[in-house]
Amino acid sequence: MDNKEYLKWIMPSIKNRTVSNDNLNGKLNFRIEKAKEQYQLPVVKREDIIKYVKDFLSSMDMEISFDPAIKPKKREKRRIDYSKINKESKEDIVWIKFTTENYISVIGTGCDIYFSDYAKNNTTAGLINQSLGLEWDDREVLIFPLKNIKDGLYRSDIESGIGNYLISKGVPILDFYSHNY
């Protein structure tokens, strides 16, 4: 095994799930190491990512007749009108934020898509971006409304499935574990 190949077999423990400013100063962090590995993979076009996510949702008999490309408003607060995206339940969405280099930075769920300085400096995805010298692309976010969620599943389950499906298709995700927590 090479020097860091062991990382592919470890799912970070609770103690290793966060990233802090200490990790930006050279302290080993699984999530940053995984991000560095993902950053070496080729970028996948957004159109292909949309197709993969819609294929996954379609396999669950979920609605896929929507355009997930959302352009956040150019203001500090309330940049996205979540209630227009999913009228049934504005919280039942999965979103994907990208870097300006077109890598998936993070996959999430719910109404908490932020590009603020606070998010850049205090979220795992923001700190991972900093460690790689990257910035979020705040011009577009992919948002997938989750309608007709199967009984026994929750939006976090679908978020996990989407992230893991994208990984299986060779799509790099810098905050590699985010969709599973």
Side-chain angles (χ1 to χ4, degrees):
M1 254 187 243
D2 74 21
N3 194 14
K4 296 200 178 155
E5 187 178 347
Y6 65 89
L7 290 174
K8 73 180 180 180
W9 305 110
I10 297 173
M11 178 65 80
S13 63
I14 290 172
K15 290 179 182 180
N16 276 319
R17 285 188 187 166
T18 59
V19 174
S20 69
N21 285 316
D22 289 343
N23 302 120
L24 299 180
N25 298 324
K27 183 179 175 193
L28 176 72
N29 181 277
F30 286 89
R31 292 176 84 165
I32 289 176
E33 293 304 316
K34 193 67 172 179
K36 289 175 183 175
E37 176 185 289
Q38 292 292 293
Y39 190 51
Q40 299 304 310
L41 298 174
V43 168
V44 174
K45 292 185 221 172
R46 290 189 192 190
E47 305 85 60
D48 292 336
I49 292 169
I50 291 168
K51 180 194 175 312
Y52 294 147
V53 173
K54 285 187 172 187
D55 287 349
F56 179 80
L57 294 175
S58 178
S59 76
M60 300 175 66
D61 297 323
M62 296 182 77
E63 181 182 328
I64 59 167
S65 60
F66 53 82
D67 180 3
I70 304 296
K71 302 201 180 316
K73 294 178 176 93
K74 300 269 184 218
R75 56 186 183 206
E76 187 72 21
K77 296 184 178 180
R78 300 182 194 214
R79 295 187 67 185
I80 298 169
D81 192 351
Y82 298 102
S83 60
K84 288 184 179 177
I85 295 167
N86 190 348
K87 291 177 176 44
E88 292 174 18
S89 173
K90 69 180 187 173
E91 294 279 336
D92 285 344
I93 60 173
V94 169
W95 49 263
I96 300 175
K97 282 173 42 174
F98 291 86
T99 67
T100 54
E101 289 77 11
N102 285 316
Y103 282 92
I104 291 178
S105 172
V106 61
I107 298 174
T109 185
C111 301
D112 62 349
I113 305 168
Y114 299 107
F115 298 97
S116 65
D117 285 339
Y118 182 85
K120 290 176 186 176
N121 295 315
N122 294 285
T123 65
T124 297
L127 292 169
I128 286 172
N129 285 351
Q130 280 186 44
S131 75
L132 297 173
L134 303 174
E135 293 285 331
W136 279 316
D137 179 357
D138 69 350
R139 296 168 299 166
E140 182 180 272
V141 179
L142 299 183
I143 302 179
F144 299 88
L146 305 178
K147 298 180 180 179
N148 305 320
I149 297 174
K150 289 186 178 298
D151 285 340
L153 293 178
Y154 300 93
R155 68 175 183 242
S156 59
D157 299 320
I158 297 166
E159 171 194 14
S160 176
I162 287 171
N164 292 328
Y165 187 70
L166 290 174
I167 289 167
S168 79
K169 294 293 187 182
V171 178
I173 301 172
L174 300 179
D175 192 353
F176 189 81
Y177 302 103
S178 66
H179 56 275
N180 288 312
Y181 297 140

